[in-house]
Amino acid sequence: MTTEQIPAGYWQDAAGNLIPESKVKDIDKLRHQVVTDLCLLAEQAQAGLRAFKVNAMLEVAALVATSMEQYGVKSGGEKGNVTLMSFDGQYKLVRSMQDKLMFGEQLMAAKALIDECVHEWSEGANDNIRVLVNHAFQADKEGKINVGRVLALRRVNIDHPKWQQAMQAIADSMQTASTKPYIRFYKRVGTTQEYQPIPLDIAAI
């Protein structure tokens, strides 16, 4: 039920029940007002930060593109990691692009090859490899496989053709699902070479 549909003289509780206003305690009314007002202000601040981030990313992209054009290189300037400093060294900002990886169907071939390796090898020390493999390919509640655990298998140095083929299958299966941009701001501490973050997280202020 929307606010417009709530009859005059009634309040709606969290379960959707209509409560006569006379039955709502004053402290509950005060709490409702304080929480609602602050959360609305938080939403406005969030919208402002979102707009600031978009504008900051556009400004950095334009600067990078302008700088590259000086060397005859044309680029939108919106990709890649970059660190920019103010002329006096008081401030710096860091733009980074973080890729979110996923695996293609080749991962199934990698798992089959690894299973064959573990099955062919003798028991004993290879039981540890079996546990590592089973852990790496274990899906979470959403059915997704942890990228870090699978990539950890590639750091296991095993000189076996079938294992190496499996590692190549893992490499071939890696795909970039999305790229998330980040921008962070820093201010120099006095005249030192140390920089402290300018926090935009309200919890860190």
Side-chain angles (χ1 to χ4, degrees):
M1 183 179 294
T2 64
T3 304
E4 292 76 11
Q5 295 173 320
I6 299 175
Y10 286 85
W11 283 47
Q12 185 179 18
D13 66 13
N17 301 313
L18 292 177
I19 310 297
E21 185 174 358
S22 60
K23 299 296 184 181
V24 180
K25 297 178 181 179
D26 289 341
I27 189 61
D28 291 337
K29 293 179 180 179
L30 178 60
R31 184 187 306 108
H32 170 81
Q33 191 66 50
V34 169
V35 172
T36 300
D37 288 349
L38 290 178
C39 285
L40 287 173
L41 288 172
E43 288 181 335
Q44 294 175 13
Q46 180 191 52
L49 282 174
R50 186 180 295 114
F52 168 72
K53 179 182 178 181
V54 170
N55 182 67
M57 296 296 286
L58 290 173
E59 291 280 352
V60 171
L63 173 64
V64 172
T66 300
S67 182
M68 294 181 71
E69 287 171 2
Q70 291 183 346
Y71 300 94
V73 179
K74 292 186 177 180
S75 171
E78 70 279 0
K79 296 181 180 180
N81 299 338
V82 64
T83 298
L84 303 174
M85 302 277 293
S86 64
F87 186 78
D88 60 4
Q90 280 294 103
Y91 297 98
K92 74 174 181 178
L93 64 84
V94 177
R95 183 194 68 185
S96 58
M97 313 295 283
Q98 182 175 344
D99 292 337
K100 182 178 181 181
L101 300 176
M102 61 175 290
F103 296 107
E105 73 282 356
Q106 299 95 329
L107 190 66
M108 303 303 294
K111 177 64 164 62
L113 288 167
I114 293 173
D115 285 343
E116 290 179 20
C117 288
V118 176
H119 181 73
E120 291 175 7
W121 298 334
S122 60
E123 297 295 327
N126 292 305
D127 288 341
N128 295 328
I129 299 295
R130 188 189 302 274
V131 171
L132 179 64
V133 170
N134 291 336
H135 180 64
F137 287 94
Q138 184 177 12
D140 60 18
K141 294 180 180 179
E142 299 177 356
K144 297 180 181 179
I145 293 177
N146 186 284
V147 174
R149 290 202 298 257
V150 173
L151 294 183
L153 291 176
R154 302 186 67 210
R155 295 194 291 270
V156 180
N157 187 19
I158 297 178
D159 188 16
H160 186 286
K162 194 169 289 185
W163 180 273
Q164 294 298 325
Q165 188 179 1
M167 296 304 101
Q168 184 59 50
I170 290 176
D172 293 342
S173 71
M174 291 172 56
Q175 304 171 5
T176 300
S178 62
T179 301
K180 187 172 184 179
Y182 291 89
I183 188 165
R184 297 177 175 87
F185 304 89
Y186 301 85
K187 184 175 182 179
R188 189 168 65 182
V189 180
T191 58
T192 69
Q193 296 303 310
E194 180 183 354
Y195 286 82
Q196 288 185 341
I198 300 174
L200 296 178
D201 177 1
I202 189 173
I205 298 176

